[in-house]
Amino acid sequence: MDIFQGVIYGFQVACQPINLMYCFFGVLIGTLVGVLPGLGPAAAIALLLPTTFKVAPVSATIMLAGIYYGAMYGGSTTSILVNIPGEAASVVTCLDGYQMAQKGRAGPALGIAAFGSFIAGTFAVIALTFVGPLVCNLALAFGPPEYFALMVVGITVLTYLSSGSMTKALTMAGVGLILSGVGMDTISGKYRFTFNIRSLLDGIGIVPMAMGLFGISEVLLNLETEIKRDILTARVKNLFPSLKDWGESIWAIVRGSILGFFLGILPGGGAVIASFSSYAIEKKISKHPEAFGKGAIQGVAGPEAANNAGAGSSFIPLLTLGIPANPVMAILLGALMIHGLQPGPLLMQTAPELFWGTIVSMYIGNGMLLVLNLPLIPIWVKVLKIPYYLLYPLILLFCMIGAYSLENSVAHITLMLTFGILGFLMKKFGYEGAPMILAMVLGQRLETAFRRSLIMSHGDFSIFVTRPISLGFLMTAALLLIIPIITQRKKLSTLKEE
Amino acid sequence: MGRADQASGAFWFIFSVFISYESYHLGLGSLHQPGPGSFFFLTGIVTALLSLTILLRSLKMRAPEETKAAAFEKRGVAKIIPVLLSLFLYAMLMERLGFLIVTLLLFIFLLRIIEKKKWWLTILVSLIVTAISYLIFELGLQSQLPKGILDFLSF
């Protein structure tokens, strides 16, 4: 099937009324999640996964994907109106978006964010349509050593980009890998690290883990520090940006789209890093860098475009290589596997309806979001007024129901709560959950690839460095590990001199 | 984060050494035929080295101004522990009492005891949330929530 046929087939799948409905629900829930602080797309996808067990895998994936890119739209609304980023990718939007709102330009800020998101999202999906099959063909030539090396790069990039200490992030990746070993070893059939606990025999589920790390722990943190919100009382008007606004921001949108797309493909990259980079670039090349932070429209348009393009392109490594680029994709990978699908280069052939249906649904979803977002802004503002004493019991309840209905078992709730406590402590002690969850999802395949490679080479470790692709990946990883050590040494020596 | 890093570094160090020990007993196999413990033996060692770095670095540079990052507020902890306990209790009693009763009890507990809302508001919100979540999850999405002691009411 060539790309053209694929897209047409995708439209046939995505336009079935049932799939349109799931797409709509996905983007609607995604926007809601994006608006609500304290509940990100990762937790939301994990939460809603059990509700998709009774529907076809295509519809389920369409909805779960919709939640992710929908959240990118919703996140900007809270950033602009109340200076609270609904999710991590909208943190930079606060800088200039909230300033614009303070100056009575909330309307154009919301408008340009929505249009920029739409343009970038659509660009990313179109690029995904063409790049996806290309990567698939390339990946068919990958053997176990290449996969091993690629996954190592993925985990390294994520730890490199993590906001805190890289040593801590790497430690978390190690712990994640270890956790993935719990349960039965697929090669020898032996049980590992189960300590005779019955609920551990099947291994640790990615979904209760994600709900604990990203849902429960977030609530616990917020319980400790009361969230204070000052709601914008002024009415939002003039959603459509003026011609002058467009002129100022169109190139920021274009740059943001391209930048976001490439950063999204990178394993370990994704929407968050894309939005930060775009802001930095816009500020650097602007003729008036002093205007940034005081309500520059480019500071809203660029990052918002970048995070949507990044959200779209991060589907490429998942759908073509079976390797998630970020925690959200990691949960989506878990979801696909629960639905009995094995994402990887063969997915395009074994499940074309899923591959093309999901991609095309993103075109449709982006259109829906544009239509949905602008007129519904007053409603989202009202949603923000839900007091936290009502919101957190609801989030907790949904987590409990979600964990229970995975397999109708209380064991998953206990597991989720355990990870909730762990996640809370981790944040307190300056550790991040993202490397852990990515390593946990990749762990089993990383181990299999590692052992298969050694079997292939008859125990010779040089197999990882004698094959060019694998060598390239591993050198990238090594470079990323060395850079922080060098820069840290420099920092330390300058400190000592002082 | 001097103290906090010492504690967490030590914790992960013991954890990963323990994993390496366990993996060693699972069987390392040979290089030709790596056993079930091989990969995690190595992962355990690497993680142990990383956590040792965290531990040693925190011993070396004590930055007193940063210690507040891991401080626990008494008031916060006093709220978090009862909430967590109520959630574990919810899980334990869920199958015995049934979804409707535990959910109602959980909401009454959170709103009245933890958040100190007025009784009428507590009861009203708890009833509405329980009813709507039952409608959505049990009737709408057909998740099979436990009925518990209300099993005789087959509605």
Side-chain angles (χ1 to χ4, degrees):
Chain A
M1 199 182 305
D2 64 15
I3 291 175
F4 189 64
Q5 278 174 308
V7 172
I8 292 181
Y9 182 54
F11 265 104
Q12 286 166 352
V13 176
C15 288
Q16 285 162 10
I18 181 93
N19 289 339
L20 281 177
M21 189 185 86
Y22 275 105
C23 185
F24 177 74
F25 277 137
V27 295
L28 187 70
I29 295 168
T31 316
L32 180 68
V33 166
V35 169
L36 291 174
L39 189 65
I45 290 174
L47 262 174
L48 287 163
L49 175 62
T51 66
T52 66
F53 285 170
K54 299 233 161 50
V55 303
V58 193
S59 314
T61 316
I62 286 177
M63 181 175 103
L64 297 175
I67 295 177
Y68 183 41
Y69 58 82
M72 297 299 131
Y73 276 74
S76 56
T77 310
T78 43
S79 292
I80 292 168
L81 291 181
V82 284
N83 206 14
I84 296 172
E87 35 80 44
S90 302
V91 172
V92 277
T93 310
C94 286
L95 299 176
D96 281 284
Y98 185 62
Q99 287 301 321
M100 281 181 76
Q102 294 260 294
K103 288 178 183 159
R105 305 217 323 129
L110 289 166
I112 205 77
F115 282 111
S117 296
F118 173 75
I119 295 169
T122 313
F123 166 77
V125 178
I126 292 173
L128 166 62
T129 315
F130 290 97
V131 177
L134 225 69
V135 181
C136 268
N137 290 334
L138 213 98
L140 283 173
F142 281 18
E146 281 80 17
Y147 268 107
F148 175 79
L150 182 62
M151 288 187 260
V152 169
V153 175
I155 295 173
T156 319
V157 176
L158 192 77
T159 53
Y160 180 73
L161 296 175
S162 68
S163 53
S165 136
M166 188 165 172
T167 322
K168 284 183 173 177
L170 283 169
T171 309
M172 285 305 95
V175 173
L177 285 180
I178 291 167
L179 292 177
S180 76
V182 176
M184 200 173 73
D185 169 23
T186 44
I187 298 183
S188 70
K190 259 192 178 178
Y191 282 106
R192 298 186 292 199
F193 315 130
T194 52
F195 311 109
N196 293 325
I197 300 170
R198 245 184 63 205
S199 53
L200 289 183
L201 292 183
D202 286 336
I204 294 174
I206 172 84
V207 178
M209 183 176 166
M211 280 196 262
L213 283 182
F214 298 116
I216 303 279
S217 74
E218 205 63 43
V219 171
L220 296 180
L221 279 175
N222 288 338
L223 277 180
E224 209 184 25
T225 49
E226 305 273 317
I227 298 186
K228 281 210 178 78
R229 308 181 207 163
D230 44 328
I231 306 288
L232 193 80
T233 39
R235 282 195 56 212
V236 178
K237 52 188 185 214
N238 292 333
L239 280 173
F240 287 91
S242 67
L243 268 180
K244 184 171 163 280
D245 293 335
W246 274 112
E248 281 175 349
S249 46
I250 187 69
W251 289 108
I253 292 174
V254 171
R255 281 188 293 268
S257 304
I258 297 169
L259 181 76
F261 181 80
F262 284 106
L263 286 175
I265 300 181
L266 280 186
V272 180
I273 193 75
S275 60
F276 278 96
S277 317
S278 163
Y279 189 83
I281 288 183
E282 289 312 319
K283 194 174 173 181
K284 196 160 264 174
I285 62 171
S286 165
K287 280 184 197 125
H288 307 282
E290 71 282 354
F292 279 76
K294 288 174 193 144
I297 197 164
Q298 300 94 321
V300 177
E304 279 303 314
N307 73 29
N308 274 270
S313 67
S314 59
F315 280 88
I316 292 178
L318 178 73
L319 291 177
T320 60
L321 301 171
I323 291 179
N326 56 47
V328 178
M329 290 298 125
I331 296 159
L332 213 54
L333 175 70
L336 289 170
M337 295 204 301
I338 290 175
H339 276 282
L341 293 156
Q342 188 64 52
L346 292 173
L347 187 74
M348 212 171 100
Q349 284 149 33
T350 53
E353 76 286 352
L354 182 108
F355 186 88
W356 291 111
T358 306
I359 291 181
V360 172
S361 82
M362 291 192 232
Y363 288 96
I364 300 171
N366 270 303
M368 282 182 184
L369 278 167
L370 187 63
V371 178
L372 192 75
N373 230 325
L374 294 180
L376 287 187
I377 281 171
I379 296 180
W380 300 135
V381 174
K382 283 217 177 74
V383 166
L384 268 178
K385 287 182 182 161
I386 298 177
Y388 198 66
Y389 70 80
L390 272 181
L391 196 58
Y392 86 81
L394 284 176
I395 296 176
L396 290 176
L397 178 66
F398 288 153
C399 285
M400 303 296 272
I401 298 176
Y404 180 83
S405 46
L406 273 173
E407 280 174 23
N408 290 346
S409 115
V410 174
H412 281 111
I413 301 188
T414 323
L415 196 65
M416 173 186 75
L417 292 176
T418 312
F419 274 105
I421 299 170
L422 182 70
F424 170 72
L425 291 174
M426 277 164 59
K427 273 177 202 146
K428 279 278 170 188
F429 285 88
Y431 292 87
E432 280 181 71
M436 191 201 251
I437 211 138
L438 191 71
M440 152 92 190
V441 174
L442 291 178
Q444 277 202 352
R445 272 178 303 158
L446 195 69
E447 191 209 355
T448 312
F450 174 77
R451 280 161 76 180
R452 288 228 177 100
S453 306
L454 282 184
I455 294 171
M456 250 169 84
S457 71
H458 306 289
D460 188 357
F461 273 95
S462 69
I463 187 168
F464 296 113
V465 289
T466 46
R467 298 164 65 118
I469 302 178
S470 151
L471 176 69
F473 284 146
L474 286 179
M475 274 169 60
T476 316
L479 198 69
L480 290 173
L481 289 173
I482 293 168
I483 292 171
I485 298 178
I486 298 171
T487 48
Q488 210 177 28
R489 282 273 149 78
K490 259 192 195 155
K491 251 190 241 162
L492 274 180
S493 60
T494 50
L495 267 178
K496 271 180 194 154
E497 275 165 31
E498 280 168 11
Chain B
M1 319 244 302
R3 276 264 193 79
D5 279 1
Q6 282 170 34
S8 63
F11 174 80
W12 293 123
F13 180 72
I14 295 168
F15 172 80
S16 31
V17 168
F18 173 69
I19 290 294
S20 290
Y21 172 81
E22 279 285 312
S23 310
Y24 181 76
H25 285 281
L26 277 168
L28 299 183
S30 63
L31 280 179
H32 294 258
Q33 204 64 45
S38 56
F39 181 74
F40 295 102
F41 180 71
L42 292 176
T43 313
I45 290 178
V46 174
T47 314
L49 290 176
L50 286 165
S51 43
L52 199 62
T53 317
I54 298 175
L55 179 64
L56 292 179
R57 209 164 46 184
S58 67
L59 287 173
K60 218 163 120 193
M61 336 185 268
R62 284 206 184 144
E65 75 274 15
E66 276 182 274
T67 43
K68 65 172 191 287
F72 293 91
E73 278 180 46
K74 262 201 187 131
R75 204 166 45 90
V77 176
K79 207 170 168 184
I80 288 170
I81 289 176
V83 170
L84 272 173
L85 283 178
S86 73
L87 294 177
F88 276 109
L89 212 61
Y90 181 95
M92 275 165 62
L93 296 175
M94 193 177 185
E95 292 189 322
R96 204 165 305 155
L97 296 181
F99 173 78
L100 290 175
I101 295 180
V102 279
T103 305
L104 199 64
L105 289 177
L106 177 73
F107 267 75
I108 293 176
F109 175 78
L110 290 177
L111 290 176
R112 176 67 207 175
I113 315 276
I114 304 282
E115 297 297 333
K116 300 187 176 61
K117 296 292 155 202
K118 291 202 171 64
W119 268 113
W120 67 267
L121 184 74
T122 303
I123 301 284
L124 185 74
V125 172
S126 305
L127 280 174
I128 292 175
V129 169
T130 309
I132 291 182
S133 58
Y134 185 81
L135 284 177
I136 295 178
F137 288 96
E138 183 70 31
L139 301 182
L141 296 164
Q142 296 174 359
S143 349
Q144 288 154 346
L145 299 168
K147 291 209 168 69
I149 51 172
L150 292 181
D151 203 14
F152 59 92
L153 293 170
S154 47
F155 51 93

